[in-house]
Structures are given as C-alpha cells and as structure tokens.
Amino acid sequence: MSLALGIGLLAAAGVYLVLQRGMIRIILGFVLLTHAVNLLLIAAGGVARRDAPFFGGDTSSAADPLPQAFVLTAIVIAFAITVVMATLAVVGRGDDDTEPPAAGHDTDAATQEAAP
C-alpha cells in the first residue's frame, strides 16, 4: 500500500512539474516520473512476496530478475536523457522569446538593434 502511494505521489508531482514553464522544473519532473516508473516496474516483479533473485540456492521463491534488468536499463536511459535536457537548459537559456518583455523595455528599439 505504501509503495502504491509513493508511486502515485511521485507520478503526480512529476506530472505537475513537467507541466510548468521552467526547464529546470521540467527536468525535475522528468526525474520524478522516471523514479515512479522504476518503482512501478520493481513492484510488478513481485518483490513483496518473493526473495532476492540470487540469494540462497532455492530458486522457487526467487524474484523475477527481468523487472530488475528493465529498471537498470531505465535508470541508464533516464540519466542520459536528463543530461541532454540539462545541457539544453544551459545552452538554450536565451532562446525563450515567448515571455513578456520587462517593464520599461522598449520592444521596437530591441527589434531594430537585432536587425542587420
């Protein structure tokens, strides 16, 4: 029950942050969503009712190692995507032209300065 609540909270917070405007918030939301999905995959593997996959000699009560392999792969892929998104956040900081101009800023003068 607590695992399901944790997954739900992580997913809700992740979706909320992804829908925000700032790139750092989107990255944090993506990280929270990946953690929620990883916990969901681990929970699907039946960890609560089974033992560790390589503990002891009895394999009848061992957990399925396939969800754990999926989670390991998902962690690597999520880390790579997070690094790319962080790089884009740093490089593309001045590319956001949809924000309203600051008070007292003349948009016509800025447009004329930018024209060749």
Side-chain angles (χ1 to χ4, degrees):
M1 179 71 174
S2 63
L3 185 61
L5 286 175
I7 292 170
L9 286 175
L10 283 174
V15 167
Y16 175 75
L17 286 175
V18 164
L19 295 177
Q20 297 296 312
R21 181 152 175 80
M23 190 64 177
I24 298 299
R25 291 179 182 155
I26 292 172
I27 292 171
L28 289 176
F30 177 75
V31 169
L32 289 180
L33 280 175
T34 58
H35 284 305
V37 170
N38 290 341
L39 285 176
L40 183 66
L41 286 174
I42 289 293
V47 175
R49 65 180 189 277
R50 294 185 176 187
D51 289 338
F54 301 112
F55 185 72
D58 186 19
T59 57
S60 63
S61 64
D64 188 11
L66 190 59
Q68 297 175 8
F70 285 154
V71 168
L72 182 62
T73 305
I75 289 171
V76 172
I77 292 171
F79 180 72
I81 292 173
T82 302
V83 168
V84 169
M85 289 173 68
T87 303
L88 290 176
V90 170
V91 171
R93 185 177 299 175
D95 290 346
D96 191 8
D97 59 350
T98 58
E99 290 186 14
H105 182 71
D106 188 14
T107 57
D108 292 335
T111 306
Q112 292 175 355
E113 291 175 3

